[in-house]
């Protein structure tokens, strides 16, 4: 479905209003040459439509690091809102945390307009993601099980909760449109047991559906063994390629809460056209990841990072079910409709 320019501007305007942008605020649209021109144009025009002071900023990022560009960094810190079409969190100079520390709100966007339209955020998404996050905030343990053979647990409390609900409305909040999930990071050395990535589960950044189950055994926070067939060998070799033991560490764990995100979407899209937030967000998934935890304030900053959303898992916090076989259980996290 092709969206007209005016439809795209209207959709961005709706999201910027959810982000509490108003005519007293300043919005920086941060872009790079590879950013989708449709998104650049629509974000910029939506800011103008709302009456915000709107700035299109395209700093050169090459050998020179964005964190060393004082004018660009100061502009983002002085703004109320940054529409990030670059990926500040992907840069290695601490750019995102530096901007957030000034209470600037950041909304990261990379998906094509059709995916943005299909996954328009709603206030109800925030309500349910926050309900889930509050449960994690007070939990001491997370346990995961599945009929495919998963039996995994970890302790919680050392690291913060990641809330992704698709728009950024609070000072210093980072979010990603589209999204809809909650996550945290296990306490150091506590991730233990077995996760079986089953046929049909997704691995990012490969952007593929697993065809042969992968058994991943964890001990003291790290992968001790990866076993299986082709998919296991591929995963193992990919991580080994970084020559960094931290690539084998457990990273974030959590679950998807977005009923409009779809498990099947990735199969319909050109790999280069999506970064795959349908897969990361689909309702009732269990997503774990491997590698870094420096985003959360932890010691591991390896660039080797896999996100692995899985179906049909059960997730318990302190023995209380949050998800049972892919179904969200707590009433305040359940989506009433699509
Ligand atoms: Fe991740």
């Amino acid at each position: 479905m092709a969206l007209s320019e005016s439809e795209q501007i209207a959709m961005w305007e709706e999201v910027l209003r959810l982000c509490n942008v108003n005519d007293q605020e300043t919005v920086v649209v941060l872009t790079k040459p590879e950013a989708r021109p449709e998104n650049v144009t629509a974000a910029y025009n939506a800011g103008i439509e709302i009456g915000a002071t709107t700035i299109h900023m395209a700093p050169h990022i090459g050998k020179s690091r964005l964190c060393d560009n004082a004018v660009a960094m100061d502009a983002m810190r002085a703004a109320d809102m940054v529409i990030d079409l670059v990926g500040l969190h992907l840069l290695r100079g601490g750019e995102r945390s530096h901007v957030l520390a000034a209470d600037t709100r950041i909304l990261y966007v990379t998906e094509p307009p059709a995916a943005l339209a299909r996954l328009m955020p709603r206030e109800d998404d925030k309500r349910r993601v926050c309900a889930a996050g509050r449960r994690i905030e007070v939990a001491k343990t997370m346990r995961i099980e599945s009929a495919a053979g998963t039996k995994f647990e970890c302790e919680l409390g050392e690291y913060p909760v990641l809330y992704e609900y698709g728009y950024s409305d609070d000072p210093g909040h980072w979010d990603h449109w589209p999204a809809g999930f909650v996550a945290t990071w296990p306490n150091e050395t506590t991730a233990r047991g077995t996760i079986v990535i089953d046929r049909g589960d997704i691995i990012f950044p490969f952007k593929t559906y697993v065809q042969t189950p992968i058994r991943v055994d964890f001990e003291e926070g790290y992968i001790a063994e990866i076993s299986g067939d082709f998919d296991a060998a591929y995963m193992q070799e990919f991580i080994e390629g970084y020559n960094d033991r931290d690539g084998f560490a457990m990273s974030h764990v959590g679950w998807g809460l977005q009923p409009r995100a779809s498990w099947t979407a990735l199969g319909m899209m050109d790999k280069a056209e999506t970064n795959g937030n349908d897969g990361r967000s689909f309702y009732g998934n269990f997503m774990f990841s491997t590698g870094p935890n420096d985003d959360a304030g932890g010691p591991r900053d390896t660039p080797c990072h896999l996100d692995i959303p899985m179906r049909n898992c059960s997730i318990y916090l302190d023995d209380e079910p949050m998800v049972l076989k892919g179904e969200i259980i707590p009433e305040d996290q359940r989506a009433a409709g699509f």
Side-chain angles (χ1 to χ4, degrees), residues 135-183:
R135 301 297 275 268
I136 297 179
E137 302 267 8
V138 297
K140 300 222 166 6
T141 64
M142 182 187 282
R143 195 173 86 243
I144 317 296
E145 295 173 358
S146 74
T150 297
K151 211 167 176 19
F152 170 89
E153 63 188 328
C154 61
E155 280 149 44
L156 304 178
E158 202 172 323
Y159 293 114
V161 175
L162 173 67
Y163 296 84
E164 281 198 26
Y165 45 84
Y167 59 96
S168 183
D169 53 342
D170 293 322
H173 180 69
W174 180 92
D175 219 301
H176 187 173
W177 169 27
F181 65 83
V182 72

Side-chain angles (χ1 to χ4, degrees), residues 326-338:
E327 280 299 315
I328 304 282
I329 299 302
E331 201 55 45
D332 59 358
Q333 296 178 36
R334 291 177 79 117
F338 287 49

Side-chain angles (χ1 to χ4, degrees), residues 111-272:
E111 295 285 334
L116 300 180
R118 188 163 48 77
L119 295 165
M120 282 293 283
R122 299 177 187 172
E123 285 178 1
D124 193 56
D125 298 331
K126 179 183 181 184
R127 181 186 64 75
R128 291 179 302 100
V129 166
C130 288
R134 283 194 299 270
R135 301 297 275 268
I136 297 179
E137 302 267 8
V138 297
K140 300 222 166 6
T141 64
M142 182 187 282
R143 195 173 86 243
I144 317 296
E145 295 173 358
S146 74
T150 297
K151 211 167 176 19
F152 170 89
E153 63 188 328
C154 61
E155 280 149 44
L156 304 178
E158 202 172 323
Y159 293 114
V161 175
L162 173 67
Y163 296 84
E164 281 198 26
Y165 45 84
Y167 59 96
S168 183
D169 53 342
D170 293 322
H173 180 69
W174 180 92
D175 219 301
H176 187 173
W177 169 27
F181 65 83
V182 72
T184 189
W185 290 257
N187 294 358
E188 291 300 318
T189 74
T190 66
R192 57 191 182 273
T194 299
I195 293 178
V196 177
I197 306 166
D198 205 0
R199 185 179 168 135
D201 295 338
I202 299 170
I203 303 187
F204 294 106
F206 310 159
K207 300 180 184 172
T208 53
Y209 293 92
V210 165
Q211 300 296 328
T212 58
I214 309 170
R215 181 185 162 113
V216 187
D217 292 311
F218 286 86
E219 279 171 24
E220 297 187 354
Y222 281 79
I223 294 174
E225 192 176 356
I226 299 175
S227 48
D229 203 332
F230 161 77
D231 289 288
Y234 191 95
M235 179 178 170
Q236 168 112 19
E237 180 128 345
F238 178 85
I239 299 175
E240 275 174 355
Y242 284 79
N243 262 326
D244 181 350
R245 181 175 182 252
D246 284 347
F248 287 95
M250 180 54 114
S251 184
H252 53 82
V253 288
W255 61 95
L257 288 154
Q258 179 50 272
R260 295 179 302 288
S262 127
W263 168 62
T264 60
L266 180 66
M268 311 290 174
M269 294 172 87
D270 186 310
K271 276 193 188 190

Side-chain angles (χ1 to χ4, degrees), residues 79-116:
D80 298 290
M81 173 102 207
V82 171
I83 306 296
D84 178 8
L85 306 177
V86 167
L88 288 170
H89 60 298
L90 302 173
L91 306 176
R92 308 302 296 173
E95 287 83 354
R96 174 173 61 175
S97 52
H98 197 53
V99 171
L100 293 176
D103 274 350
T104 302
R105 319 190 291 277
I106 301 178
L107 185 66
Y108 173 57
V109 181
T110 60
E111 295 285 334
L116 300 180

Side-chain angles (χ1 to χ4, degrees), residues 275-314:
N275 89 321
N277 255 25
D278 268 280
R280 289 184 179 85
S281 305
F282 70 83
Y283 193 71
N285 79 23
F286 164 62
M287 179 164 71
F288 83 99
S289 70
T290 57
N293 65 358
D294 58 326
D295 261 8
R300 300 191 304 274
D301 66 350
T302 176
C304 180
H305 183 54
L306 303 178
D307 279 336
I308 307 176
M310 298 167 52
R311 294 188 304 156
N312 305 320
C313 291
S314 297

